[in-house]
């Protein structure tokens, strides 16, 4: 479709990974894939509508040619067939217009849903980032107290290690065995 090879895709992926980072890259890929699916659906709908429109146009041209040849002088059965063709062409046109409006409405809803999902993902990402930022932006006095607590715990652990003697873990030798 776009004539993009594997090496180009790999280069785009690496640039995206560097620019967006590993945390935002999956979200960006999902968003791009949603847009690609939406565009493909839109293209398929447009293609179907164009095909139906061409068929309708050919039918109308055939009817005009028949009218031009003055088919009113032909048999009543043939005139009835022409009228039926006109009615079916009008029905097809009405159905085509209805399908086009339904497809446009469905596409608009799908695009709105994708936009809402993107907005929600962005809000969630912002709240996660602000929570992480709040955790890192603690009061300096609290940080100092936390560091002091960790240092005192480290000092206590060092004292316990210094007091520990592996020989004390051995079974005590009874007085009788010593003699």
């Amino acid at each position: 479709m776009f004539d993009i090879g594997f090496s180009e895709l790999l280069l785009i992926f690496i640039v995206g990974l560097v620019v967006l980072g590993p945390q935002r890259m999956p979200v960006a890929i999902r968003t791009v894939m949603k847009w690609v699916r939406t565009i493909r659906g839109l293209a398929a709908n447009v293609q179907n509508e164009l095909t139906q429109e061409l068929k309708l146009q050919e039918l109308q041209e055939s009817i005009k040619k028949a009218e031009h040849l003055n088919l009113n002088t032909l048999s009543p059965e043939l005139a009835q067939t022409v009228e039926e063709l006109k009615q079916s062409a009008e029905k097809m046109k009405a159905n085509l217009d209805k399908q086009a409006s339904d497809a446009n409405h469905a596409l608009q809803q799908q695009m709105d849903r994708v936009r809402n999902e993107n907005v929600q993902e962005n809000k969630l990402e912002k709240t996660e980032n602000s929570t992480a930022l709040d955790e890192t932006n603690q009061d300096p006095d609290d940080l100092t107290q936390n560091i002091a607590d960790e240092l005192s715990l480290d000092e206590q652990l060092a004292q316990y290690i210094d007091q520990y003697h592996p020989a004390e873990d051995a079974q005590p030798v009874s007085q009788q065995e010593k003699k």
Side-chain angles (χ1 to χ4, degrees):
M1 184 169 134
F2 291 108
D3 196 29
I4 296 176
F6 179 74
S7 60
E8 288 91 0
L9 284 175
L10 185 63
L11 180 66
I12 291 170
F13 179 76
I14 290 172
V15 169
L17 188 62
V18 169
V19 171
L20 296 175
Q23 291 175 345
R24 288 191 222 152
M25 189 67 171
V27 174
I29 290 173
R30 273 184 258 140
T31 304
V32 168
M33 291 307 295
K34 286 179 187 176
W35 282 103
V36 167
R37 281 188 216 113
T38 304
I39 291 171
R40 283 184 182 172
L42 177 64
N45 286 340
V46 169
Q47 187 177 13
N48 288 338
E49 289 176 20
L50 286 175
T51 303
Q52 289 180 353
E53 192 71 36
L54 287 173
K55 288 179 182 178
L56 182 63
Q57 186 177 3
E58 288 175 5
L59 183 61
Q60 287 175 345
E61 287 176 5
S62 297
I63 291 171
K64 286 180 183 179
K65 284 181 183 178
E67 287 176 351
H68 182 49
L69 294 175
N70 201 5
L71 290 179
N72 293 336
T73 59
L74 295 176
S75 69
E77 293 172 356
L78 193 54
Q80 183 181 1
T81 305
V82 170
E83 285 299 317
E84 288 175 1
L85 284 174
K86 285 181 183 179
Q87 290 174 356
S88 68
E90 289 174 8
K91 286 180 183 178
M92 280 182 65
K93 187 172 183 178
N95 285 339
L96 182 62
D97 290 340
K98 184 180 181 220
Q99 287 177 353
S101 67
D102 290 346
N104 286 337
H105 182 68
L107 181 63
Q108 186 65 34
Q109 286 179 339
Q110 187 175 11
M111 290 176 70
D112 290 341
R113 189 175 66 242
V114 168
R115 283 187 197 121
N116 289 338
E117 288 174 0
N118 288 341
V119 167
Q120 289 173 354
E121 287 176 2
N122 288 341
K123 285 181 181 178
L124 179 63
E125 199 172 289
K126 285 179 183 179
T127 56
E128 288 174 356
N129 288 343
S130 66
T131 303
L133 191 61
D134 289 344
E135 289 175 358
T136 57
N137 291 336
Q138 292 179 352
D139 187 26
D141 293 335
D142 289 342
L143 287 175
T144 306
Q145 183 63 34
N146 288 344
I147 293 171
D149 291 344
E150 288 180 18
L151 286 175
S152 67
L153 288 174
D154 288 344
E155 289 173 7
Q156 288 176 356
L157 182 61
Q159 287 176 357
Y160 287 131
I161 291 173
D162 289 340
Q163 292 175 358
Y164 174 72
H165 296 290
E168 291 177 358
D169 283 345
Q171 293 289 332
V173 181
S174 66
Q175 296 267 339
Q176 293 174 354
E177 290 178 11
K178 285 184 182 178
K179 292 181 185 181

